[in-house]
């Protein structure tokens, strides 16, 4: 199997941010994204998705390291002060590097 | 005085969650119920609107909108100076109280129907009209005073009015209420007749289910009461009483009946927890959403359901036929 | 004898899944339907309860609860010694059969209504009361005998009764049935009238949809029949017949009508698959949930729907007006 | 001419999405509504079917099925040669137009009911019967001509007819329509009576909600219009007119009333967007699903709702009572 | 903590593929799988899960490296030409190696 | 981008365990968690989420290695004998190490 290293950036945050995160990810060069509805808890309390104000999403972006850096720094600078957001990056291998 | 049974559903939800029951309504059901209520209220109002001369309705509508825009201006200084909240939080909460709660309105209607008090059937129009102005004024307050007062991390650029207007006017609650009004108005009673088993026949039962859910949601926020503090709890009780009285007075001044004035009081007294939280989260991100939700949903909403609505009705009765 | 059409929905679901159709009901719909059924049955019972003197109802209620607590004591030795199941599995299955199936009850009511057989309208009270005792006795059996018999990995500490009681009494089905009963009792027929199109008018249709879903779920478990083995399949047919007869007898002894005794038989014969599985999974984790579900849902549930209910009715007719 | 109010819901959804509102219906609601509509239409048809002699119905049914199988054979050459589409895309789109749209049919019924035009009440039978043949022929076309024409990556083995038949006949829409027909036929009007508040009383309102959702979905595909190109947009308007006229003619030839012939025209003119897309995605993976969806849902569906249905009715009136 | 290295294969694609992907994963030796409903966007456009044709799934398979290779190459060969599918592989550590 | 290594612990199991897993994760030092509803299959059979008894969850915890060990060993000891549970750990990089 001929694989190629990429980064997987995962963003977990309020549903209200969804459209902004999609827009930003594209702007900084991501070719795609995947979003799941989640619930969770952290420093901003419990978000149970029982009500529209407490819905959360988990967004995955497979991309190059520079893109991951650019998106995550943008998110850190612009959203983390005022919104519940968690982020992490991990290494993944993909088969079709041109796709991501 | 017997409680309206729909309120018992709220209490059931509240108690279940308070005692840590694992009862949960699926999120898709919550969304479905809220879409249904907004649409049904809009349709109802649209059907009735078609029956009334615009000459009567327009001045009342204008007064209701103006009132919605003014109420945050009363709330803001109290929150800022008495409550010592920062500008963002004060503006956001003020905006929530300028806007209205659709479900509180529906419970108010149910209260009047049970007591056989007549009211202007086109009142749902006012729900749609009063959703937005309070929110807009809240946002303006934040932009004007908040930016100086709070530790904004970002150098905030000029307000993007286009994006903001879009956010507010195309939010789901305005679209559903307004769309329902338009369809109801256009189709008229006979056009909607075949849909009335769904949109009108089931209304009260759906309202009961939604209140069950709101009870669960409200009780889940009990832990946040500490964060809100005694000032906001007091604010959540006193504001609706004052605003309710103002609403009744405006209703009287514009010639509404006792029932209509009661409902305008209910609208003024109620605080939004569907449209406003969504809009504020985007428009005033610096505001802590917990504070507005605990106050609007945890304090004012149950207060209005139980004590507020009868009180505003009493005020309307004494004021209008003294 | 024509099958009740609601049962045709069960068969449709079963056939669809059996032949591997891709028909699936969204999980949120399943949850919504079950919440609706529990609440509606509770409301109905509460409304009727308000009409009857407590002096008549209380002894019957006590007898029903006592029966629910005793039935697992009959099932357990059979499962343990004839079926050679380990203590945990035997106790868990016994608990499922001590508790009741709300949907089987609803189909029983529909059966009687179709045949115009009268019954005590407050029977839903017994559904709520009989949910819990069987489960509690099942758990006790597991604690007393199971721990010695099975290869428990954990040194199990003393039973945490508080947590357990919480788990059972605040499970969603008890809260909804009990809450519905209380609201119905408090609000009375006139209070619930505006909600009756939702909670009573749609009842039978919702029951049909739920049975469609249960057919899909039951057929998906066909593969587990092998794991259950012939003993449990036999147990799933014989137990409801015996328990159904006991239920009818207890109904007769406490003065219920033919219809009421039939329904008490149905309750005794039915096995829980909403409250019990959830409680048992936490309280007796060592028990294999597949065994109880296949037996309760895969065997006893369809048996009761098709053959059981008419049989218990026949027993009641012959016993009470011989 | 006043628009049927259900169409206003489609327009509301379309406008909301077009102007980028954040209104969204939860996916579970979409699925629930579509399950409901399929089942309710089937039940209705089954109840009516029981009332009619098979001798009248069978020839009409056979003609409808034959028509469904032939229509793709007309569409395919046009798509292939006029539209210069590759074989897979042409076959897939042809199959969509051979099959039928359940919701277009329901709006057609509502149109006739509003104008008090009688029609054969067992028409839903034809919906169920016409779903499949067009799809099968579309797949056959792809297998026969497509494989040579397109750059298939895979050496495609012989067609797995068993798997394919399973995929199509056990797809959710055939199961629900067919199952509903069978239950309705078996249970008869009196058997379904207790379920009629859900399945019949709410029908029109649920249809309105579903159209709201379809408006949202259709508008979301506006961006794909460019990819479809002018040929397909024209195809999406001209085909329903031709097929609608054919359907009316077949209806006349088999002795349907004006209303019945109108509905057969509606069925012929409509393109499937529930059963066909799912089946085609598996059976003709090489076809681009965007093309068929934009054409069927973005062009033909709104055309039929607004202009098509009245047109087919006009054709039927002039043809049958000239 | 005594952990053992395994591969995590993640497949993101159209809902229509779900049953085929499950069948294939088992055939190539996976002992289990986990699926979540997601929405997303990529080279085939936006898939919002607003309608059955636009539902997407995210499937996770914990397995040995050879199994991950076999599944992903099979998917690449059989589905990627005609369906929206994204794939990546990453390293994970598990406690009970015999389970996966 | 200045990142810091952390562990991501993923737990997949029966819905009935949700509240216990949240409680345990907090007790062993996790600062947050994220949960998604999933379906799947493994050694305990297929869990299709068609019915409340067959609902499953996927829980993610970003934490320090010791916390991940503590949680996963606790889960292994207390739940794995009687419940359907899968677990794995992977390396991730986060921007704000104090948060997790
Ligand atoms: N340590 C963690 N592990 C996994 N998810 C987390 C963690 N901390 C926070 N989250 C998720 O990120 C969301 C926002 O986090 P916070 O801003 O800390 O409240 C929470 O609601 C969780 O869904
Ligand atoms: N770069 C990416 N990062 C995360 N998910 C992606 C990415 N590209 C595609 N996807 C997902 O894979 C699906 C199919 O991708 P595609 O075939 O590129 O349209 C999309 O709908 C997304 O859910
Ligand atoms: N190899 C695997 N890869 C991904 N998920 C798995 C795997 N094995 C099990 N699972 C998940 O873990 C749950 C419990 O696994 P088990 O206890 O093996 O039945 C399953 O229902 C799946 O959701
Ligand atoms: Na207000
Ligand atoms: Na029982
Ligand atoms: Na057609």
């Amino acid at each position: 199997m001929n694989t190629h290293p990429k980064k997987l950036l995962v963003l977990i945050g309020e549903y209200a941010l969804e459209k902004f995160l999609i827009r930003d990810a594209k702007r900084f060069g991501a070719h795609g994204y995947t979003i799941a509805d989640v619930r969770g808890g952290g420093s901003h309390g419990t978000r149970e998705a029982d009500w529209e104000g407490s819905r959360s999403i988990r967004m995955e972006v497979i991309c190059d390291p520079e893109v991951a850096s650019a998106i995550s720094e943008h998110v850190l600078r612009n959203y983390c002060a005022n919104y519940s957001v968690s982020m992490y990056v991990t290494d993944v291998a993909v088969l079709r590097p041109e796709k991501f | 005085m017997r409680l309206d049974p729909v309120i018992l559903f709220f209490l059931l939800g509240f108690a279940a969650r308070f005692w840590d029951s694992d009862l949960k309504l699926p999120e898709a059901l919550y969304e479905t119920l809220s879409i249904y209520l907004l649409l049904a209220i809009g349709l109802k109002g649209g059907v009735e609107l078609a029956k009334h001369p615009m000459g009567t309705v327009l001045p009342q509508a204008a007064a209701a909108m103006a009132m919605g825009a003014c109420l945050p201006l009363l709330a803001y200084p109290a929150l800022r100076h008495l409550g010592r909240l920062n500008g963002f939080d004060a503006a956001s909460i003020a905006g929530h109280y300028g806007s209205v709660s659709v479900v509180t309105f529906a419970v108010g209607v149910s209260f009047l129907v049970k007591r056989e008090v007549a009211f202007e059937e086109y009142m749902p129009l006012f729900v749609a009209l009063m959703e937005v102005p309070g929110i807009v004024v809240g946002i303006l307050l934040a932009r004007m005073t908040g930016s100086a007062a709070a530790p904004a991390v970002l150098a905030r650029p000029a307000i993007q009015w286009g994006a903001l207007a879009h956010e507010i006017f195309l939010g789901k609650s305005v679209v559903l209420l307004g769309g329902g009004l338009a369809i109801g108005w256009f189709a008229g009673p006979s056009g909607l007749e075949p849909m009335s088993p769904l949109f009108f026949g089931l209304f009260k039962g759906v309202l009961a289910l939604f209140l069950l859910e709101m009870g669960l949601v409200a009780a889940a926020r009990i832990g946040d009461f500490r964060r809100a503090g005694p000032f906001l709890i007091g604010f959540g009780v006193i504001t609706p009483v004052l605003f309710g009285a103002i609403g009744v007075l405006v209703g009287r001044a514009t010639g509404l009946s006792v029932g209509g004035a009661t409902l305008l009081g209910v609208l003024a007294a109620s605080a939004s927890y569907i449209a406003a939280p969504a809009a504020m989260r985007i428009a005033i991100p610096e505001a802590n959403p917990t504070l507005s939700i605990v106050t609007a949903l945890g304090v004012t909403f149950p207060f209005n359901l139980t004590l507020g609505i009868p009180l505003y009705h009493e005020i309307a009765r004494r004021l209008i036929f003294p």
Side-chain angles (χ1 to χ4, degrees), chain A, chain B:
Chain A
M1 195 168 58
N2 194 3
T3 62
H4 306 261
K6 290 277 173 182
K7 290 288 179 185
L8 173 71
L9 170 64
V10 177
L11 302 155
I12 301 170
E14 302 179 30
Y15 173 70
L17 293 179
E18 176 165 329
K19 61 183 160 192
F20 302 104
L21 294 178
I22 293 174
R23 187 196 58 193
D24 296 343
K26 286 184 183 158
R27 187 145 53 99
F28 289 105
H31 298 166
Y33 63 91
T34 299
I35 291 178
D37 290 310
V38 295
R39 52 189 177 277
S43 53
H44 292 84
T46 308
R47 300 181 53 78
E48 291 189 51
D50 53 349
W51 168 71
E52 51 209 329
S54 72
R55 293 174 64 185
S56 302
I57 58 163
R58 177 184 185 277
M59 176 168 170
E60 266 186 15
V61 181
I62 310 157
C63 54
D64 287 323
E66 309 77 56
V67 174
S69 294
I71 299 173
S72 57
E73 274 167 14
H74 174 81
V75 168
L76 191 61
R77 223 177 8 251
N78 285 279
Y79 303 117
C80 287
N82 294 315
Y83 294 97
S84 304
V85 184
S86 297
M87 284 187 286
Y88 61 83
V89 180
T90 185
D91 294 308
V92 297
V94 302
L95 292 181
R96 296 178 291 170
E98 69 289 354
K99 187 173 166 60
F100 300 104
Chain B
M1 186 213 59
R2 276 216 144 176
L3 277 181
D4 189 332
V6 289
I7 297 168
L8 298 174
F9 285 82
F10 181 83
L11 296 180
L12 175 59
F14 197 94
R17 179 66 203 233
F18 186 80
W19 282 307
D20 245 341
S21 161
D22 68 356
L23 176 63
K24 254 189 196 180
L25 267 55
E27 202 213 325
L29 176 58
Y30 167 85
E31 284 184 65
T32 300
L33 297 176
S34 74
I35 288 169
Y36 171 94
L37 290 176
L38 291 162
L39 202 49
I41 288 177
L43 289 169
K44 183 85 185 144
V47 167
E48 300 299 335
L49 195 58
K51 298 184 194 157
H52 288 82
M54 273 300 158
T56 327
V57 178
L58 276 185
Q60 293 171 346
M65 287 183 75
M67 178 176 70
C70 293
L71 293 176
L73 301 175
L74 297 177
Y76 180 80
L79 290 158
R80 195 91 171 76
H81 300 119
L82 300 180
R84 301 186 169 280
L85 295 174
N86 72 48
F88 296 119
D89 286 330
S92 166
I93 297 175
H96 281 73
Y97 280 83
S99 185
V100 297
S101 153
V102 176
V103 173
T104 310
F105 174 79
V107 176
V109 167
S110 155
F111 174 90
L112 295 179
V113 167
K114 211 174 158 192
R115 273 159 198 72
E116 302 182 351
V117 179
F119 56 90
E120 286 73 9
E121 295 276 359
Y122 54 81
M123 291 299 297
L125 171 68
F126 298 3
V127 183
L129 294 177
M130 287 180 69
E131 273 227 88
V132 168
I135 297 174
V136 173
V137 172
I139 295 171
L140 283 176
L141 286 169
R143 298 300 166 122
M144 291 187 318
T145 70
S147 43
V153 210
L154 320 160
R156 188 178 271 285
I159 311 182
Q160 297 184 289
W161 282 110
L164 210 57
H166 186 274
E167 194 66 41
I168 295 168
F169 287 102
L170 289 163
K172 98 176 174 192
S173 58
V174 175
V175 166
L176 288 169
L177 274 173
L181 273 166
I183 292 178
W185 184 82
F186 195 82
S190 68
L192 288 190
E193 216 279 318
M195 301 170 204
S196 71
L198 178 64
F199 288 119
F200 306 142
L202 302 188
F203 187 84
K204 194 78 183 282
V206 173
L207 182 62
L209 280 182
F210 194 79
L211 284 168
L212 177 68
E213 167 73 8
M214 292 323 291
L216 293 166
V217 173
R221 290 189 168 54
I222 283 242
D224 295 332
F225 267 72
R226 264 171 311 126
R227 290 200 228 172
F231 170 78
L232 278 182
I233 296 175
F235 178 88
V237 171
I238 294 169
T239 313
V241 175
L242 290 178
F243 283 16
I246 294 176
V248 171
L249 285 171
V250 171
R252 190 198 178 182
T254 55
L256 289 175
S257 67
V258 172
T262 302
L263 289 178
L264 199 60
V266 169
L267 286 173
S270 73
S272 165
Y273 51 83
I274 297 187
M280 292 306 183
R281 202 69 196 100
I282 303 299
I284 319 181
E286 301 88 346
N288 178 353
T290 301
L291 300 184
S292 39
I293 282 306
V294 164
T295 320
L297 188 61
V299 183
T300 299
F301 181 64
F303 172 78
N304 277 333
L305 290 196
T306 48
L307 303 177
I309 293 173
L311 177 65
Y312 314 139
H313 180 52
E314 201 52 39
I315 298 179
R317 284 208 308 144
R318 306 220 169 169
L319 260 180
I320 298 190
F321 301 104

